[in-house]
Amino acid sequence: MTAVAQEVATTAAPERVTSAADVRPTTRRLGLGKPLPLAAGLGIGLLVAIWAAGSATGLIDPRVLTPPWTVLTTGVELTVDGDLPGHLWVSLTRAALGLTFGVAAGVALALASGLSRLGDALLDGPIQVKRAIPNLALLPLLILWFGIDEEMKVITIALGVFIPIYLHTHNGLRSIDKRYVELAETLRLGRHQFVTRVVLPGALPGFLLGLRFAVTGSLLALVVVEQVNGTAGIGYMMELARTYGQTEVILVGLVVYGVLGFTADWSVRLLQRKALSWRRTLED
């Protein structure tokens, strides 16, 4: 019986392979196609090329927008003088502290609200109200409470960070397929096992999406707080340059903010791709 089964299997297997090969699509018409080389910097390179061409041909007035080569040389001079590294270090420290506190608060509040009806009733409403109030409107109150020192600046950045983390993590928690919950109940998983094996992996895509918004939000808040009675930081450098009409220094600051934001977002996207490698999406 076994020999017969093996004979049937050896003769039937090629037929199954051939049949499967016949129905499999040979070309992919509806996908995105192969990734473009240097796709991440292609649009940025094109924008800089248009900027350089406009400056070189005189279409862009240098008094309005400094040529890119002048911005580059100014950036090099500020780096050699030590001004730019000093301001950059202060800005990165503020952004990192605000991002850390904001992410921790956002995740904690999302777990408390997303995994409990009582937590949702108590927390979600006030957080939605805070979401509707921009940080700029809170700035006078924060200055009265915490002064104009580092504490106020870090808290302002954290307030701008925790909202996207909370929203996307909370949405990820509540979007977990109920069949997984039923499967966990069938397998008699405990509360801790349910959270670690079902809830947290299920909420991970939402959290990572929120993190992309959060890193950008931390830089946006950084721009605001560093221009309020600051004594160091990229925003302070730009505000000082505005006073003296140094357009090229302002553009150096904008380029630094852009590079920081692009690098941070690219890092989170890379982390997202690694952490969610089990998913098959249109990106693949």
Side-chain angles (χ1 to χ4, degrees):
M1 185 65 182
T2 305
V4 173
Q6 289 178 349
E7 183 179 357
V8 171
T10 52
T11 55
E15 295 179 2
R16 287 201 300 270
V17 171
T18 304
S19 176
D22 291 340
V23 299
R24 191 178 303 170
T26 56
T27 58
R28 296 182 177 179
R29 298 180 296 104
L30 303 179
L32 297 180
K34 295 181 180 179
L36 296 175
L38 303 176
L42 192 60
I44 298 174
L46 179 62
L47 186 63
V48 174
I50 294 173
W51 178 16
S55 299
T57 56
L59 293 176
I60 300 178
D61 190 341
R63 294 171 298 180
V64 177
L65 187 62
T66 307
W69 47 86
T70 305
V71 175
L72 180 61
T73 54
T74 303
V76 172
E77 291 172 0
L78 290 172
T79 304
V80 173
D81 294 341
D83 290 341
L84 186 58
H87 290 305
L88 181 60
W89 174 252
V90 173
S91 295
L92 285 177
T93 304
R94 286 173 182 154
L97 287 174
L99 185 65
T100 302
F101 291 132
V103 168
V107 170
L109 291 171
L111 289 175
S113 177
L115 298 178
S116 166
R117 295 290 184 189
L118 178 61
D120 186 56
L122 293 177
L123 296 175
D124 193 64
I127 292 174
Q128 297 301 333
V129 172
K130 164 61 190 76
R131 179 190 173 197
I133 301 174
N135 278 354
L136 282 176
L138 287 175
L139 209 53
L141 195 59
L142 293 174
I143 292 175
L144 284 177
W145 284 350
F146 303 105
I148 57 174
D149 295 330
E150 289 300 308
E151 191 177 7
M152 180 275 294
K153 295 178 173 61
V154 172
I155 290 174
T156 304
I157 296 172
L159 286 175
V161 165
F162 97 91
I163 290 293
I165 291 289
Y166 169 84
L167 288 177
H168 291 282
T169 307
H170 183 275
N171 181 63
L173 289 170
R174 291 301 176 95
S175 301
I176 293 175
D177 197 322
K178 195 172 183 179
R179 289 174 295 181
Y180 293 118
V181 181
E182 295 171 352
L183 179 61
E185 291 173 344
T186 303
L187 296 175
R188 298 184 181 279
L189 295 183
R191 187 71 176 175
H192 180 263
Q193 291 176 313
F194 171 68
V195 171
T196 56
R197 297 185 182 183
V198 178
V199 172
L200 295 183
L204 188 59
F207 167 75
L208 291 173
L209 179 60
L211 189 59
R212 289 186 62 188
F213 285 100
V215 294
T216 308
S218 67
L219 294 177
L220 294 177
L222 187 67
V223 175
V224 175
V225 298
E226 287 190 336
Q227 295 182 5
V228 179
N229 292 325
T231 57
I234 299 298
Y236 167 74
M237 184 186 75
M238 294 170 61
E239 183 66 16
L240 201 62
R242 184 192 63 81
T243 305
Y244 294 105
Q246 298 172 314
T247 311
E248 67 278 7
V249 178
I250 296 175
L251 286 172
V252 169
L254 291 176
V255 169
V256 170
Y257 277 132
V259 170
L260 289 178
F262 181 82
T263 306
D265 184 70
W266 180 81
S267 301
V268 176
R269 291 179 69 179
L270 185 63
L271 174 64
Q272 190 177 29
R273 192 174 302 169
K274 296 290 183 183
L276 305 178
S277 58
W278 47 270
R279 293 196 313 178
R280 301 293 296 171
T281 62
L282 192 62
E283 177 69 20
D284 302 319

